[in-house]
C-alpha cells in the first residue's frame, strides 16, 4: 500500500512539472471551410446593419429604371424590410439563380467595371441577405398577366416560383434579419437608431434622384417619414425633404476642369450660406450618381466654414461630382460606400477653393438691419430718463456723471456694444429723420393693424390690456437690454443701472396673447405640409397627462374625450378659421396655424397640448370669454417654453447617454467608461439645435417685439416675472466698505 502511494505521488509530480507544461504542440491543421460558413462570413461584411440592406435594395430598384420606390420598416429593419418599386421586374427564368453569389446582369468581364453605369455589380447583396435573413421576392415583367413569388434561404430557392397577383415591378421582403447571428442582433437592439439611419439614407437618395419618388414609413404607420415626389429641380427636392429653412439658405456652386493632364471632372451642388445655423455637418455626396462618403472632402469643407462662420455653425452641403468612369475605382469597400478617385487631392483642393470664394463673396453682402436701425435711432433720440442736452457755449465744461450713476449698456445708446467699435457710414441725419419715422410707422401698422376687429368684445379685451399696463414695467421693457440666458426660464436684462432676471416664458405668453388680440382676424398663416388628425393629437395629449398607463378603462375614456373634443372643434372650424386662421378640414385634420410674430414658428411638439386646451378650457357660449380663452390658449402654445428635450449643457447630458451591457460590466469590474462613446449623437444634435434656436428667438425676436408691442400687466410686478438681482449704486457702496 505504501509503495502504491509513493508511486502515485511521483506520477503527480511528473504531470505538474514545468517540463510537461512547455511540451511543443503540433501545428494546427489547415482545412477548407464549409461553403455555408464562407457565405455567412461574407454576408456579415456586406450587410453590416439594416440600412446596408435597404441601400442595396434601393440601388437595385434604381438600376431597374424605377420611377417610384417605397420602403416599409418594422423594428428598425430587424423584423421586416420591404422595398417595392415599379421597375422592369425580374424574368421567371432568372428567379432560380437570383440569390446565388456572383450572379448579376450588370457585367460579364472584369474590364466592365471601368465603364459601369449601374449601382450594383458584384452580385453579392441578395445572396448575403439570404444567409442572414428570410427573403421573399415577388416580381412581374411587362406583358405578363401575373407575377411570381419565391422564398430564398442560404442562396437557393425554398420552393418553385408560385404564380400570384402582382403590380408592376418588384417587391422584396427581408424578414428576421440576423436571426442566426446572435451577437450582431444584440448590438442592434436600438431600433430607433437604425430607423433614423434608413430615413437619412432615403432623404439623401431623394434629393439626388429627383426623377424618382421615394417614401419610407414604419410598418403600420399612416404617415410617411420620407415622402418625395418627382421634381423638376434639385432645390425643390431639397425643400421637400429637408424643409424650407434649409432650402432658403442655400447657394449654388459649380466647379469644372478639363485639364488634359488627367484631372477632368464636373461638380455642381448647393452649400449653406452664413444665415444657416446647425450643430452637425450634413454632406450629401454623389460621385457618378453613387451615394458615397469622403472624409477628406468633408474635412476640407469644414475647415473653410470654421474660418468664415461662427464656431458653432456647421454647413449643409450637397454635391454631385461626375468624372470619367475609368478615373473611379468603385470596388474598394464591401458596402460600396467609399470610392477611390484619380487625382483626388487636386479635385478636393479645387472644390475647397470654390466653396471658400463663394462663401466669402456671399458674406460681403450680409446685413444686420436691427443693428443699423438702433444706431440711427440712437443718434436721433436720447434716453427718456436723460434731460435734454443744449449746445455748449465757449469755455463751458460738460457736467461729469458720477461713476455709480453711469449706464454702461443701454438699449438706446450704442456705447459698450459691438457696433460702437465699427466705423459707421456718414449719414445726412436731417434728411433721414422723416424717412425713418415713416418706416417705423409702417412697420407698426403692418404688425398691429388699428382696425384689427370691429367686434366690441375684442375692443373691450384690448382696452383691458391697456388699462392694466404697469407704467414702470413698460418703461423697463421699452428700454432694457438683453444680456443673456441665466437658466432655462430666466434671462438677464439690464435697465439703466439695474440688472434683472426676466421670466421669458411669462413674458412671451403675455406678448403672444396681446398680439393675438391685436391681430384678430388679420393673421398670416403657417401651412402644415401634412395635415394632422385632431383625434390622434388630442389622444396623444391625454396619454401624456395620464400617469396610470396600465388602466384599459382609462384608454376607452380618453378615446371618448378625444372624439368629443374633435367633434367640438370641427363645429367651431368656421369661426376659428375666420378669426384666428386655425383651419380644420372636413376630415378633422389640422392644416393651418396663425403667424403671431414674424420670423417665429412655435414648437410643434406642443400642438397636442394646444388642441386639448382649445377643447377643454374654452368657454364657447359667451363671445368675449370665448375670444379671451382662445387667445390665451394660443398665447400659451406660442410662448417660448423650454424644449421638451432636456438641456444638453450641465446635468442634462445624462439623458443622452446610452449604456451598453459591456460598458455596465466594465463599470462593475472597476473599468473606466468613456462617455463620448455612449452618447446618442443624433438626439444630442437635435437637442442642441432646439435650445440654440430658442435662445436665438429670445434675443432676436422676443425682446425686439416686446419693446414695440408688449404692455406688461401690473401683476408682473409682483408675481416674479421681473426680479432685481443687482444695482450699480448698491454695488459701489459695498465696494467702498471694502
Amino acid at each position: 500500500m505504501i509503495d502504491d502511494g509513493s508511486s502515485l505521488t511521483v506520477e503527480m509530480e511528473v504531470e505538474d512539472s514545468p517540463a510537461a507544461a512547455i511540451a511543443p504542440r503540433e501545428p494546427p491543421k489547415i482545412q477548407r471551410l464549409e461553403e455555408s460558413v464562407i457565405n455567412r462570413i461574407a454576408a456579415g461584411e456586406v450587410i453590416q446593419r439594416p440600412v446596408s440592406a435597404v441601400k442595396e435594395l434601393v440601388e437595385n430598384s434604381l438600376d431597374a429604371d424605377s420611377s417610384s420606390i417605397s420602403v416599409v420598416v418594422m423594428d428598425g429593419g430587424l423584423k421586416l424590410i420591404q422595398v417595392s418599386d415599379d421597375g422592369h421586374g425580374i424574368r421567371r427564368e432568372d428567379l432560380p439563380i437570383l440569390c446565388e453569389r456572383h450572379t448579376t446582369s450588370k457585367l460579364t468581364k472584369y474590364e466592365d467595371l471601368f465603364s459601369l453605369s449601374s449601382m450594383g455589380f458584384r452580385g453579392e447583396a441578395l445572396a448575403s441577405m439570404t444567409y442572414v435573413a428570410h427573403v421573399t421576392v415577388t416580381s412581374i415583367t411587362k406583358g405578363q398577366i401575373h407575377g411570381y413569388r419565391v422564398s430564398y434561404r442560404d442562396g437557393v430557392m425554398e420552393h418553385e416560383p408560385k404564380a400570384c397577383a402582382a403590380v408592376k415591378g418588384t417587391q422584396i421582403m427581408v424578414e428576421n434579419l440576423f436571426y442566426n447571428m446572435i451577437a450582431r442582433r444584440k448590438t442592434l437592439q436600438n431600433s430607433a437608431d437604425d430607423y433614423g439611419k434608413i430615413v437619412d439614407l432615403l432623404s439623401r437618395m431623394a434629393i439626388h434622384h429627383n426623377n424618382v419618388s421615394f417614401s419610407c414609413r414604419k410598418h403600420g404607420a399612416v404617415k410617411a417619414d420620407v415622402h418625395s415626389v418627382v421634381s423638376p429641380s434639385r432645390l425643390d427636392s431639397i425643400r421637400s425633404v429637408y424643409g424650407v429653412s434649409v432650402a432658403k439658405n442655400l447657394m449654388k456652386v459649380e466647379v469644372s476642369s478639363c485639364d488634359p493632364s488627367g484631372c477632368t471632372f464636373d461638380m455642381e451642388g448647393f452649400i449653406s450660406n452664413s444665415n444657416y445655423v446647425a450643430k452637425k455637418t450634413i454632406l450629401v455626396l454623389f460621385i457618378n450618381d453613387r451615394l458615397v462618403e469622403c472624409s477628406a472632402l468633408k474635412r476640407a469643407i469644414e475647415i473653410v466654414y470654421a474660418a468664415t462662420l461662427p464656431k458653432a455653425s456647421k454647413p449643409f452641403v450637397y454635391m454631385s461630382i461626375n468624372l470619367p468612369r475609368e478615373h473611379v475605382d468603385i470596388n474598394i469597400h464591401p458596402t460600396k460606400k467609399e470610392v477611390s478617385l484619380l487625382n483626388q487631392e487636386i479635385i478636393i483642393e479645387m472644390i475647397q477653393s470654390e466653396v471658400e470664394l463663394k462663401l466669402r463673396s456671399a458674406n460681403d453682402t450680409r446685413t444686420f438691419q436691427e443693428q443699423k436701425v438702433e444706431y440711427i435711432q440712437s443718434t436721433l433720440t436720447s434716453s427718456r430718463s436723460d434731460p435734454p442736452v443744449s449746445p455748449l457755449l465757449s469755455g463751458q465744461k460738460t457736467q461729469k456723471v458720477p461713476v455709480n450713476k453711469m449706464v454702461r449698456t443701454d438699449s438706446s445708446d450704442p456705447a459698450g456694444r459691438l457696433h460702437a467699435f465699427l466705423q459707421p457710414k456718414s449719414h445726412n441725419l436731417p434728411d433721414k429723420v422723416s424717412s425713418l419715422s415713416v418706416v417705423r410707422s409702417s412697420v407698426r401698422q403692418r404688425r398691429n393693424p388699428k382696425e384689427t376687429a370691429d367686434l366690441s368684445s375684442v375692443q373691450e379685451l384690448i382696452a383691458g390690456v391697456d388699462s392694466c399696463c404697469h407704467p414702470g414695467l413698460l418703461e423697463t421693457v421699452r428700454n432694457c437690454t438683453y444680456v443673456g440666458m441665466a437658466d432655462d426660464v430666466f434671462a438677464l436684462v439690464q435697465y439703466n443701472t439695474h440688472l434683472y432676471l426676466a421670466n421669458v416664458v411669462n413674458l412671451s405668453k403675455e406678448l403672444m396673447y396681446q398680439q393675438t388680440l391685436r391681430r384678430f382676424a388679420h393673421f398670416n398663416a403657417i401651412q402644415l405640409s401634412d395635415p394632422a388628425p385632431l383625434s390622434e393629437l388630442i389622444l396623444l395629449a391625454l396619454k401624456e397627462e395620464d400617469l396610470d398607463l396600465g388602466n384599459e378603462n382609462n384608454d376607452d375614456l380618453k378615446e371618448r374625450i378625444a372624439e368629443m373634443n374633435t367633434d367640438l372643434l370641427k363645429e367651431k372650424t368656421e369661426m376659428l378659421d375666420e378669426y384666428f386662421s386655425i383651419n380644420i378640414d372636413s376630415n378633422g385634420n389640422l392644416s393651418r396655424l396663425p403667424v403671431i410674430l414674424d420670423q417665429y414658428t412655435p414648437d410643434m411638439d406642443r400642438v397636442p397640448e394646444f388642441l386639448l386646451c382649445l377643447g377643454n378650457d374654452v368657454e364657447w357660449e359667451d363671445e368675449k370669454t370665448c375670444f379671451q380663452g382662445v387667445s390665451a390658449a394660443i398665447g400659451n402654445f406660442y410662448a417660448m417654453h423650454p424644449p421638451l428635450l432636456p438641456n444638453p449643457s450641465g446635468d442634462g447630458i445624462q439623458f443622452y447617454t446610452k449604456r451598453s451591457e459591456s460598458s455596465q460590466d466594465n463599470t462593475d469590474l472597476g473599468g473606466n467608461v468613456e462617455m463620448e462613446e455612449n452618447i446618442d449623437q443624433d438626439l444630442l444634435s437635435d437637442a442642441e439645435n432646439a435650445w440654440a434656436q430658442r435662445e436665438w428667438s429670445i434675443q432676436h425676436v422676443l425682446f425686439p417685439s416686446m419693446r414695440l408691442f408688449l404692455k406688461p400687466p401690473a401683476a408682473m410686478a409682483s408675481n416674479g416675472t421681473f426680479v432685481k438681482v443687482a444695482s450699480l449704486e448698491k454695488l459701489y457702496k459695498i465696494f467702498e466698505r471694502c
Side-chain angles (χ1 to χ4, degrees):
M1 297 292 290
I2 296 174
D3 292 341
D4 292 342
S6 302
S7 64
L8 180 61
T9 303
V10 172
E11 289 176 4
M12 292 177 63
E13 290 176 353
V14 171
E15 290 176 1
D16 294 340
S17 65
I22 61 174
R25 290 191 310 134
E26 296 252 343
K29 182 180 179 180
I30 298 176
Q31 55 186 350
R32 184 177 287 106
L33 291 176
E34 294 182 6
E35 193 70 21
S36 61
V37 177
I38 296 172
N39 291 328
R40 191 176 296 180
I41 292 173
E45 293 181 352
V46 177
I47 308 300
Q48 298 175 355
R49 310 181 66 97
V51 68
S52 306
V54 174
K55 181 175 183 289
E56 297 288 353
L57 295 175
V58 170
E59 287 180 344
N60 284 347
S61 297
L62 291 171
D63 288 339
D65 298 327
S66 304
S67 61
S68 175
I69 301 174
S70 173
V71 179
V72 178
V73 177
M74 180 188 294
D75 196 16
L78 292 179
K79 285 190 178 179
L80 171 68
I81 297 173
Q82 177 181 296
V83 178
S84 307
D85 64 58
D86 61 351
H88 52 56
I90 303 169
R91 294 184 297 180
R92 162 69 174 81
E93 54 268 28
D94 291 336
L95 290 174
I97 64 169
L98 174 67
C99 292
E100 290 184 9
R101 289 192 70 197
H102 308 304
T103 57
T104 179
S105 61
K106 314 299 172 50
L107 53 82
T108 57
K109 57 184 184 295
Y110 178 75
E111 288 73 18
D112 292 342
L113 278 175
F114 303 108
S115 59
L116 201 65
S117 60
S118 61
M119 302 289 111
F121 55 88
R122 293 197 192 108
E124 284 187 320
L126 279 175
S128 298
M129 292 177 207
T130 65
Y131 284 99
V132 294
H134 303 131
V135 177
T136 303
V137 178
T138 305
S139 187
I140 184 172
T141 56
K142 186 177 181 181
Q144 288 184 326
I145 59 173
H146 60 76
Y148 292 93
R149 178 178 294 123
V150 61
S151 300
Y152 295 87
R153 192 164 188 172
D154 295 339
V156 297
M157 294 192 303
E158 291 188 307
H159 53 79
E160 286 296 314
K162 298 178 181 179
C164 66
V167 295
K168 178 190 175 185
T170 303
Q171 180 187 86
I172 298 180
M173 288 197 304
V174 180
E175 299 174 284
N176 299 321
L177 188 61
F178 303 127
Y179 73 96
N180 53 359
M181 301 176 70
I182 306 302
R184 177 76 62 87
R185 196 174 179 91
K186 281 187 176 180
T187 61
L188 299 173
Q189 288 302 314
N190 191 347
S191 60
D193 231 13
D194 287 288
Y195 183 68
K197 294 179 185 296
I198 294 171
V199 168
D200 181 61
L201 168 73
L202 291 175
S203 299
R204 292 165 184 260
M205 289 281 196
I207 66 174
H208 181 76
H209 300 281
N210 55 330
N211 59 334
V212 180
S213 64
F214 289 83
S215 72
C216 176
R217 61 181 175 87
K218 291 182 180 178
H219 183 267
V222 177
K223 179 183 176 183
D225 294 291
V226 176
H227 180 69
S228 70
V229 296
V230 175
S231 174
S233 74
R234 195 139 287 145
L235 191 61
D236 289 339
S237 298
I238 296 175
R239 184 180 294 108
S240 67
V241 175
Y242 286 94
V244 178
S245 60
V246 175
K248 72 179 182 180
N249 290 318
L250 296 183
M251 305 179 292
K252 190 168 185 178
V253 60
E254 294 178 324
V255 185
S256 62
S257 173
C258 299
D259 189 350
S261 63
C263 183
T264 303
F265 76 98
D266 290 305
M267 187 279 288
E268 63 176 14
F270 293 91
I271 61 173
S272 57
N273 60 23
S274 53
N275 297 318
Y276 176 80
V277 178
K279 294 289 186 179
K280 182 180 178 182
T281 299
I282 298 178
L283 172 61
V284 183
L285 176 63
F286 284 82
I287 296 180
N288 288 358
D289 294 327
R290 186 183 301 277
L291 178 62
V292 295
E293 297 176 1
C294 183
S295 56
L297 178 59
K298 182 178 181 180
R299 190 162 52 250
I301 293 174
E302 285 180 332
I303 289 172
V304 173
Y305 274 82
T308 311
L309 298 184
K311 198 169 185 180
S313 180
K314 300 292 184 181
F316 176 95
V317 179
Y318 161 78
M319 286 185 180
S320 176
I321 303 176
N322 290 303
L323 303 94
R325 303 194 187 281
E326 61 271 16
H327 291 184
V328 185
D329 186 356
I330 59 178
N331 191 27
I332 67 169
H333 195 276
T335 62
K336 298 173 286 189
K337 73 175 184 178
E338 295 179 3
V339 296
S340 178
L341 308 180
L342 188 65
N343 301 315
Q344 178 170 302
E345 294 80 7
I346 299 175
I347 293 173
I348 291 177
E349 184 178 352
M350 293 180 66
I351 292 175
Q352 184 185 31
S353 300
E354 181 63 25
V355 169
E356 182 176 8
L357 180 64
K358 191 78 174 179
L359 200 58
R360 292 191 181 279
S361 63
N363 279 347
D364 290 342
T365 61
R366 191 179 180 192
T367 58
F368 301 91
Q369 295 181 355
E370 290 184 355
Q371 292 184 353
K372 287 183 178 179
V373 170
E374 288 174 352
Y375 179 81
I376 297 172
Q377 182 184 0
S378 66
T379 60
L380 295 173
T381 59
S382 60
S383 176
R384 296 187 183 184
S385 58
D386 295 338
V389 180
S390 58
L392 297 176
L393 300 175
S394 176
Q396 186 177 358
K397 295 183 179 180
T398 59
Q399 184 178 1
K400 186 176 180 181
V401 180
V403 291
N404 64 326
K405 297 283 188 182
M406 188 180 297
V407 179
R408 263 65 174 181
T409 304
D410 185 78
S411 63
S412 59
D413 185 0
R417 299 170 71 182
L418 182 60
H419 60 262
F421 301 98
L422 303 177
Q423 293 294 331
K425 296 180 181 179
S426 59
H427 297 285
N428 189 3
L429 296 180
D431 296 336
K432 299 216 173 184
V433 172
S434 59
S435 62
L436 179 63
S437 301
V438 171
V439 169
R440 290 181 59 81
S441 175
S442 65
V443 169
R444 288 178 180 273
Q445 289 177 4
R446 180 173 61 85
R447 295 186 176 181
N448 284 285
K450 296 296 182 182
E451 58 282 355
T452 51
D454 54 2
L455 298 177
S456 59
S457 56
V458 178
Q459 297 296 342
E460 289 174 8
L461 290 172
I462 295 176
V465 169
D466 295 339
S467 64
C468 293
C469 179
H470 190 286
L473 288 181
L474 181 62
E475 180 71 17
T476 302
V477 168
R478 290 284 191 268
N479 298 283
C480 70
T481 301
Y482 174 83
V483 178
M485 293 300 295
D487 60 14
D488 297 348
V489 175
F490 284 92
L492 279 172
V493 296
Q494 180 180 335
Y495 170 65
N496 286 342
T497 58
H498 307 300
L499 193 65
Y500 294 90
L501 282 174
N503 188 316
V504 295
V505 176
N506 290 353
L507 287 169
S508 59
K509 188 182 300 185
E510 181 64 26
L511 174 65
M512 303 301 179
Y513 168 73
Q514 294 182 13
Q515 282 296 93
T516 303
L517 294 177
R518 294 192 179 98
R519 288 191 171 194
F520 188 87
H522 289 78
F523 293 99
N524 293 327
I526 302 171
Q527 191 72 34
L528 303 186
S529 57
D530 293 317
L534 289 183
S535 57
E536 293 182 16
L537 293 174
I538 295 174
L539 187 60
L540 180 62
L542 290 168
K543 289 181 178 179
E544 288 178 352
E545 288 185 351
D546 192 3
L547 300 178
D548 187 7
L549 301 178
N551 193 334
E552 295 182 358
N553 294 330
N554 282 357
D555 291 341
D556 295 336
L557 178 60
K558 292 190 201 77
E559 291 178 0
R560 288 198 297 272
I561 294 174
E563 185 178 352
M564 291 171 58
N565 283 335
T566 301
D567 293 340
L568 174 63
L569 294 179
K570 286 171 68 176
E571 291 177 6
K572 309 298 180 182
T573 181
E574 185 177 353
M575 183 271 288
L576 291 173
D577 190 15
E578 180 180 358
Y579 292 151
F580 299 99
S581 193
I582 300 173
N583 181 262
I584 300 170
D585 62 26
S586 58
N587 296 323
N589 296 322
L590 178 68
S591 60
R592 194 166 64 230
L593 290 169
V595 174
I596 306 300
L597 286 181
D598 297 337
Q599 299 182 347
Y600 176 67
T601 303
D603 185 356
M604 291 301 173
D605 289 338
R606 299 186 180 274
V607 171
E609 177 188 349
F610 167 58
L611 295 174
L612 181 61
C613 183
L614 278 182
N616 279 354
D617 300 343
V618 176
E619 177 58 53
W620 299 94
E621 301 303 323
D622 179 71
E623 181 181 289
K624 179 179 177 181
T625 309
C626 172
F627 291 157
Q628 185 178 29
V630 174
S631 300
I634 293 175
N636 184 63
F637 170 42
Y638 280 75
M640 296 184 182
H641 298 277
L644 297 182
L645 288 173
N647 194 334
S649 61
D651 295 337
I653 193 67
Q654 297 176 1
F655 176 82
Y656 307 96
T657 302
K658 300 184 294 184
R659 301 187 62 83
S660 62
E661 294 181 5
S662 58
S663 65
Q664 291 173 353
D665 295 341
N666 291 338
T667 305
D668 296 338
L669 295 174
N672 294 326
V673 180
E674 296 183 3
M675 289 294 291
E676 290 80 8
E677 297 179 356
N678 296 323
I679 291 179
D680 188 335
Q681 294 294 343
D682 292 338
L683 189 61
L684 178 62
S685 176
D686 291 342
E688 289 175 341
N689 287 340
W691 283 90
Q693 179 64 36
R694 176 180 181 253
E695 185 167 355
W696 185 93
S697 298
I698 290 172
Q699 179 178 358
H700 298 287
V701 178
L702 176 61
F703 274 88
S705 300
M706 282 169 45
R707 295 189 190 105
L708 287 174
F709 309 131
L710 180 64
K711 294 188 176 180
M716 284 188 174
S718 57
N719 65 1
T721 301
F722 283 92
V723 179
K724 185 190 292 187
V725 293
S727 172
L728 189 61
E729 296 94 331
K730 293 182 179 179
L731 288 176
Y732 263 88
K733 290 180 181 179
I734 295 173
F735 293 146
E736 287 172 357
R737 294 173 188 168
C738 299

